[in-house]
Amino acid sequence: MKLFSVRALSALAVTTMLAAAPVFAHAADTPAPVSKGGEQAEAGAKTAILSNTDLSGYVGSVNPIEVGGLLNFCTEGNYVPDYDDAFKVLQAYNKKTNAVPDGQEGNMYYARGTAGQLQVNGQTYSIATSSVSVRQKTCQAVLARAKAAL
């Protein structure tokens, strides 16, 4: 009986994953709406701008903690020239800015950056859905800003 229940659970898990696959595929194509404060936007509210416009020039004006989140995004996605170097900078930068404090729920700026989004003048831009060349150029600017702050 125990063998039957394990197989039944495994079959149920596979069936559930297959049934949800079209939903996951659609979700990957649709960016999550983001409002001015970073919360999920209400219907009809502003969403992140999807663009292949060069966003590297905006990096200098984003919140320093958001830079830490962006560097996390860039490092995880391997959009930086040297992962090991960028990861060391990320650790040092987060420690210096206290971007990820111990024992706290987190910081919305850091979360936004980690999602590959940056906010400039109340407008949210998405590098996560931009072309790879835009991501790489923006990530190089993020890494340079973080290094300059150390």
Side-chain angles (χ1 to χ4, degrees):
M1 182 70 177
K2 190 172 188 173
L3 181 60
F4 173 74
S5 63
V6 171
R7 285 187 180 164
L9 287 175
S10 296
L12 179 62
V14 170
T15 304
T16 303
M17 286 176 51
L18 290 175
V23 174
F24 293 139
H26 177 69
D29 294 338
T30 307
V34 177
S35 70
K36 183 176 179 182
E39 309 84 8
Q40 185 167 344
E42 296 176 17
K46 292 181 182 178
T47 59
I49 293 175
L50 307 178
S51 172
N52 282 331
T53 304
D54 182 9
L55 300 173
S56 62
Y58 294 132
V59 171
S61 60
V62 299
N63 183 295
I65 294 178
E66 195 168 332
V67 170
L70 285 166
L71 187 54
N72 185 38
F73 169 82
C74 294
T75 305
E76 285 180 357
N78 206 20
Y79 300 116
V80 289
D82 182 354
Y83 173 87
D84 292 332
D85 177 54
F87 187 72
K88 288 175 187 174
V89 172
L90 173 64
Q91 290 177 317
Y93 186 83
N94 284 348
K95 185 174 182 178
K96 181 177 181 175
T97 62
N98 200 28
V100 186
D102 291 334
Q104 293 194 12
E105 294 297 317
N107 183 301
M108 196 49 134
Y109 291 109
Y110 193 83
R112 183 182 310 125
T114 297
Q117 297 178 349
L118 58 131
Q119 190 173 56
V120 180
N121 299 326
Q123 190 67 49
T124 302
Y125 297 89
S126 175
I127 61 171
T129 55
S130 296
S131 69
V132 173
S133 61
V134 168
R135 289 181 217 166
Q136 290 171 333
K137 187 171 184 179
T138 305
C139 287
Q140 288 175 358
V142 167
L143 181 59
R145 178 171 172 195
K147 281 183 174 181
L150 295 179

